[in-house]
């Protein structure tokens, strides 16, 4: 019988985005297998969603981008006390700041820690001087693993590739429960509209500005087109201004992030991922594929090594609003091919994003960290 672990995940935030989505997927999968799962975080934006899953959220004032911020030293005694009081077996850090905090807390308490590289990171001086990756480092794709070794000097023996997973049955069941017309109405979108959607944090690297510009290019020739951008972040004011300046109020909808994206996916016809910087295979892409939505993504590393352009998705150059517009035109004008692509995407996502496979791999990571295997 496999040992059951008490796991404390650490993140500087619980804002809607990749890390929070990962936790919302992994935590219940681990709990289902009998593990105890808690979270220590610098914000509790989605705490209610975790509490509903039986995952306790402990709030610490660690919201910072600096690994040498005094906040970490102030938070350390309380975190160490929590680790000892709750008798956690392993700490799991999800941001650079919490990697440092986990290393310090681990040294204080004797509890091992692991980390997850959710994407690609610049080789800053702090990362080169202060090894805070943990006993094991989870890489969300083989290319992330390669980058960890090449740019950060992490030994291959410490890296474990664990691709992101999605709870496909839950997503499919959630979409089946949705009233597509009602969801559109709640967003101010007509029932007969053609809806394209993007789901991610509102940060520069996600390329939302190019989606807005693509909507502007298509506005006259496709009067039924509406775009939904779901997420939160610092780029919201700039996007709001762009929408106003392009006369797209009521056509491009900025929607606050929500833990359950099945409503928006049910209302969606095509999914757009216009990221401009390298990243792993995003959870939002996998969720859209499981929802059987045709996907348009940018031709960037490492997305372009995972998806075959024209098979599972349409790949377009980054920072190219015209190419995004052309992809939407193609899908709208080729419904049979759009459906076929959606089915190929579904089969791909269901295979590579298996929740059981992810849970198995994480259990092995924790065992190796705790037992030194």
């Amino acid at each position: 019988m496999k040992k059951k672990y008490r796991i404390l995940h650490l993140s500087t935030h619980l804002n809607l985005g990749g890390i929070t989505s990962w936790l919302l997927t992994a935590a219940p999968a681990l709990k289902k297998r009998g593990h105890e799962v808690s979270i220590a975080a610098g914000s509790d934006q989605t705490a209610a969603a975790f509490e509903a899953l039986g995952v306790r959220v402990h709030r610490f004032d660690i919201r910072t981008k600096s690994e040498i911020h005094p906040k970490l030293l102030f938070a350390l005694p309380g975190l160490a006390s929590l680790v000892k009081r709750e008798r956690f077996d392993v700490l799991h850090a999800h941001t650079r700041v919490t990697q440092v905090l986990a290393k310090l807390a681990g040294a204080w308490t004797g509890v091992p820690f692991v980390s997850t590289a959710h994407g690609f990171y610049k080789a800053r001086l702090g990362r080169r001087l202060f090894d805070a990756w943990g006993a094991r480092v989870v890489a969300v794709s083989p290319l992330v693993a390669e980058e960890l070794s090449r740019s950060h000097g992490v030994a291959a023996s410490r890296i474990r590739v664990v691709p992101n997973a999605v709870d496909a049955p839950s997503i499919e069941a959630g979409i089946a429960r949705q009233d597509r017309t009602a969801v559109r109405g709640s967003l101010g979108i007509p029932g007969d509209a053609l809806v394209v959607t993007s789901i991610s944090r509102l940060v520069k690297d996600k390329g939302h500005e190019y989606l807005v510009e693509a909507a502007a290019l298509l506005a006259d020739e496709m009067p039924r087109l509406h775009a939904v951008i779901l997420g939160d972040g610092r780029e919201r004011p700039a996007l709001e201004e762009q929408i106003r300046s392009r006369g797209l109020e009521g056509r491009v909808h900025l929607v606050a992030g929500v833990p359950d994206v099945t409503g928006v996916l049910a209302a969606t016809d095509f999914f757009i991922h216009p990221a401009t910087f390298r990243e792993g295979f995003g959870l939002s892409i996998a969720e859209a594929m499981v929802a059987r939505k045709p996907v348009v993504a940018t031709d960037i590393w490492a997305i372009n090594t995972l998806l075959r352009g024209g098979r599972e998705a349409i790949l377009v150059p980054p920072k190219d609003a015209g190419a995004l517009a052309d992809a939407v035109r193609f899908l709208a004008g080729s419904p049979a091919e759009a459906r076929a692509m959606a089915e190929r995407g579904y089969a791909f996502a269901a295979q590579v994003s298996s929740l059981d496979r992810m849970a198995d791999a994480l259990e092995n990571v924790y065992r190796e960290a705790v037992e030194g295997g």
Side-chain angles (χ1 to χ4, degrees), residues 12-82:
T12 43
H13 64 82
L14 286 180
N15 296 345
L16 266 297
I19 291 174
T20 300
S21 295
W22 189 98
L23 289 168
L24 285 169
T25 300
L30 292 168
K31 282 183 62 64
K32 187 177 180 179
R33 294 177 175 221
H35 304 290
E36 297 268 348
V37 183
S38 297
I39 298 172
S43 70
D44 56 3
Q45 179 180 340
T46 54
F50 287 102
E51 297 286 354
L53 296 172
V55 177
R56 294 179 62 192
V57 176
H58 304 272
R59 174 78 159 80
F60 288 88
D61 185 16
I62 55 173
R63 188 69 187 274
T64 176
K65 290 183 177 295
S66 171
E67 60 236 42
I68 60 172
H69 198 286
K71 283 183 176 182
L72 302 190
L73 292 179
F74 292 136
L76 181 58
L79 178 63
S81 177
L82 172 69

Side-chain angles (χ1 to χ4, degrees), residues 4-5 10 25 54 101 187 206 252 288 317:
K4 307 306 179 185
Y5 296 110
L10 295 93
T25 300
L101 191 57
L187 298 173
K206 298 301 181 181
V252 177

Side-chain angles (χ1 to χ4, degrees), residues 91-136:
L91 311 179
H92 191 156
H94 294 272
T95 64
R96 173 57 183 172
V97 166
T98 54
Q99 287 172 1
V100 173
L101 191 57
K103 184 180 181 74
L104 295 173
W108 188 318
T109 63
V111 174
F113 85 97
V114 301
S115 64
T116 290
H118 289 274
F120 301 97
Y121 306 108
K122 295 178 181 178
R124 294 193 175 99
L125 180 62
R127 288 195 178 101
R128 293 199 298 268
L129 296 178
F130 190 26
D131 181 0
W133 293 102
R136 294 291 183 272

Side-chain angles (χ1 to χ4, degrees), residues 163-179:
N164 288 333
V166 292
D167 188 346
S170 292
I171 292 174
E172 293 178 278
I175 289 176
R177 290 193 297 268
Q178 302 292 339
D179 183 324

Side-chain angles (χ1 to χ4, degrees), residues 6 31 53 73 90 107 120 129 184 198 227 247 265 287 328 358 372:
R6 297 178 65 85
K31 282 183 62 64
L53 296 172
L73 292 179
V90 62
F120 301 97
L129 296 178
R184 289 184 168 199
S198 180
L265 287 176
E287 290 168 341
V328 173
M358 180 190 196

Side-chain angles (χ1 to χ4, degrees), residues 112-362:
F113 85 97
V114 301
S115 64
T116 290
H118 289 274
F120 301 97
Y121 306 108
K122 295 178 181 178
R124 294 193 175 99
L125 180 62
R127 288 195 178 101
R128 293 199 298 268
L129 296 178
F130 190 26
D131 181 0
W133 293 102
R136 294 291 183 272
V137 188
V138 174
V140 299
S141 76
L143 289 174
V144 171
E146 290 178 17
E147 184 76 355
L148 286 170
S149 293
R150 181 171 56 249
S151 298
H152 302 286
V154 181
S157 61
R158 294 165 61 191
I159 301 171
R160 299 292 179 267
V161 177
V162 184
N164 288 333
V166 292
D167 188 346
S170 292
I171 292 174
E172 293 178 278
I175 289 176
R177 290 193 297 268
Q178 302 292 339
D179 183 324
R180 176 180 170 94
T181 302
V183 173
R184 289 184 168 199
S186 70
L187 298 173
I189 298 173
D192 65 346
L194 177 68
V195 179
V196 300
T197 296
S198 180
I199 302 175
S200 67
R201 292 177 298 118
L202 304 186
V203 295
K204 198 71 173 176
D205 289 346
K206 298 301 181 181
H208 299 106
E209 63 199 273
Y210 300 100
L211 176 55
V212 174
E213 188 59 30
L217 295 174
L218 294 168
D220 291 338
E221 66 180 277
M222 301 179 71
R224 294 173 44 245
L225 179 70
H226 284 250
V228 174
I229 299 175
L230 179 72
D232 302 297
R234 57 181 176 273
E235 288 299 307
R236 177 176 288 271
L239 290 169
E240 290 173 338
E241 176 56 32
Q242 183 185 9
I243 291 166
R244 282 193 297 268
S245 67
R246 301 297 277 143
L248 294 173
E249 299 98 326
R251 297 283 299 276
V252 177
H253 310 263
L254 294 181
V255 181
V258 292
D260 182 3
V261 299
T262 58
V264 168
L265 287 176
T268 296
D269 293 301
F270 312 141
F271 186 82
I272 313 291
H273 191 70
T276 62
F277 185 67
R278 60 184 183 175
E279 59 179 55
F281 183 54
L283 277 170
S284 64
I285 294 177
E287 290 168 341
M289 286 181 164
V290 167
R292 288 183 164 86
K293 305 300 176 182
V295 170
V296 179
T298 40
D299 190 1
I300 59 174
W301 191 49
I303 291 173
N304 55 12
T305 67
L306 298 169
L307 299 179
R308 294 171 294 176
R311 291 288 300 167
E312 295 90 9
I314 295 177
L315 298 182
V316 301
K319 302 183 180 182
D320 191 335
L324 287 174
D326 287 342
V328 173
R329 287 191 192 97
F330 172 79
L331 291 173
S334 309
E337 177 54 28
R339 287 192 297 271
M341 183 176 295
E343 289 301 320
R344 292 192 294 267
Y346 173 83
F348 170 81
Q351 177 183 3
V352 304
S353 302
S354 163
L355 192 57
D356 281 338
R357 184 264 313 142
M358 180 190 196
D360 285 341
L362 288 175

